[in-house]
Structures are given as C-alpha cells and as structure tokens.
Amino acid sequence: MIAIIDYVAGNVKSVENAVKKLGYETLITSNTEEIRNAEKVIFPGVGEASTAMNYLKSLMLDELIPTLKQPFLGICLGQQLLCNFSEEGNTECLGIFNLKVKQFPGRDIVPHMGWNNLQKIRDQLLNGISEEDNFYFVHSYYCEIGENTTSECDYILPFSATLQKDNFYGTQFHSEKSGDVGSLVLQNFLKLK
C-alpha cells in the first residue's frame, strides 16, 4: 500500500492518479497508523508552508514523519517541508534535510513555472533520466544546494531539484505532471526497497 499524506495541500488526487496508473494501490490518509504501516509514503504539496506545517502539527504528523523508515517522497512543497526552515511564513519545518528554503529574488518572473531540465544528476531516483529531459515546475521558493542535493536546476539561480538522505527523497518538480519522465521517477521510487 502506498500512503499519500493528506494535509490540506493541493495535488493529492493527481498524485494518486499517477501512482494508480503505474499499477499500485494507494491510500490518501492523515492517519498516523496507516502512514506508519504503509509500504511507501508520498508527501505531495501545493500550498503555503506555514499553513501546511500547522496542519501537520495539529495531527502530530510533524513528530511521525521524521521517524519513518520506509521510502518517503516529498514533492514540491512536500520536499520543502522536509528542510529545516522556510522563508515562506518564517516556518520551522521538519528538519530532515539541513537546508533552508528561500524565496526567489525578483530578477525574473516568479513563480518559476513551466518546463526545465536537471543538471548534475546523481540519484537512483533519477535512473534513466538525462540532462535533456524536462520536468514541470511551479514554485516561488527553492531549496538551497547542500550535501543532500542529488540534482540541480537553474532558474534565476541554481537550486536543489532533488534531495536524498537515508530513506527520504524529495523532488521540487511535479513528477505527477511531468509526463513520461515524471512517471519514470515515480516508478523508480515505487521500486525502491
């Protein structure tokens, strides 16, 4: 069973549809026991950091998530909330990745919205992906580059497109909206042991 965390951040249904299309059974849930017992966990997100973190705290999911041992994937806001701190609402996040989430400087159009490629790819989640492949992004905040960065993207400045530490993975792009290459990333995640 693949648990998709429901925390009033958008995009839950499109993630569910993408996972089901790959042949996996899903459960949209905010129940701590269901999440703890899932084979894998996906943490999607479209929304605002402080609102999302307050909701996680109200359900004690902020305490559960860092203790999980199964493969865990944060998507977009889901990746950002796995970091230490977000400038969006001056929000203390989950602290899995020792990184800050910062707002893009206004030197270009913000949000970063549309298709972009990845660079410096070094992650099993991205097996079969090349620097020519494009993914769909939509975000006004970005994760810094650090020791857990496994690929980068460049929009206004370089940022972490994907992150990985132990069983925790993150993608700033929306794999569920990125066509065949996004499906490949999801498939790679779902095949992890």
Side-chain angles (χ1 to χ4, degrees):
M1 175 66 68
I2 311 302
I4 300 171
I5 298 179
D6 185 8
Y7 64 110
V8 298
N11 226 34
V12 173
K13 292 301 282 183
S14 57
V15 171
E16 178 189 43
N17 292 338
V19 173
K20 282 184 171 180
K21 188 176 176 184
L22 294 170
Y24 291 83
E25 192 176 343
T26 63
L27 176 65
I28 295 174
T29 182
S30 57
N31 179 282
T32 55
E33 283 308 305
E34 290 174 340
I35 294 167
R36 184 179 287 112
N37 293 320
E39 182 184 346
K40 294 180 177 68
V41 179
I42 299 178
F43 188 43
V46 173
E48 190 270 334
S50 63
T51 304
M53 277 304 302
N54 286 336
Y55 189 75
L56 292 176
K57 288 176 183 176
S58 75
L59 299 172
M60 298 179 67
L61 292 176
D62 62 316
E63 296 177 21
L64 172 70
I65 290 170
T67 70
L68 296 176
K69 302 300 181 198
Q70 68 269 61
F72 186 103
L73 175 63
I75 298 172
C76 195
L77 178 62
Q79 171 177 279
Q80 293 178 3
L81 294 180
L82 295 175
C83 295
N84 282 339
F85 177 84
S86 175
E87 290 183 354
E88 186 175 27
N90 291 317
T91 305
E92 295 292 331
C93 298
L94 295 167
I96 291 159
F97 301 122
N98 186 23
L99 296 169
K100 287 184 179 175
V101 177
K102 298 182 175 180
Q103 187 169 20
F104 279 117
R107 295 195 300 262
D108 207 334
I109 296 170
V110 176
H112 172 210
M113 185 162 53
W115 298 86
N116 212 332
N117 66 321
L118 311 181
Q119 301 152 9
K120 302 181 182 177
I121 297 170
R122 51 195 180 278
D123 186 354
Q124 62 182 328
L125 200 63
L126 301 174
N127 283 342
I129 301 299
S130 78
E131 292 188 2
E132 284 77 46
D133 291 319
N134 285 295
F135 292 85
Y136 185 75
F137 291 83
V138 55
H139 58 122
S140 299
Y141 293 79
Y142 67 92
C143 300
E144 299 174 304
I145 292 173
E147 65 178 338
N148 300 125
T149 301
T150 54
S151 73
E152 298 176 17
C153 183
D154 197 324
Y155 183 79
I156 302 177
L157 43 72
F159 62 87
S160 291
T162 57
L163 295 168
Q164 189 265 321
K165 179 182 178 184
D166 303 324
N167 57 309
F168 290 93
Y169 298 80
T171 67
Q172 183 62 66
F173 56 82
H174 285 277
S175 46
E176 77 282 2
K177 294 185 176 185
S178 295
D180 291 343
V181 291
S183 292
L184 179 56
V185 170
L186 281 174
Q187 185 75 266
N188 289 342
F189 171 74
L190 293 166
K191 288 181 176 177
L192 290 172
K193 299 296 180 199

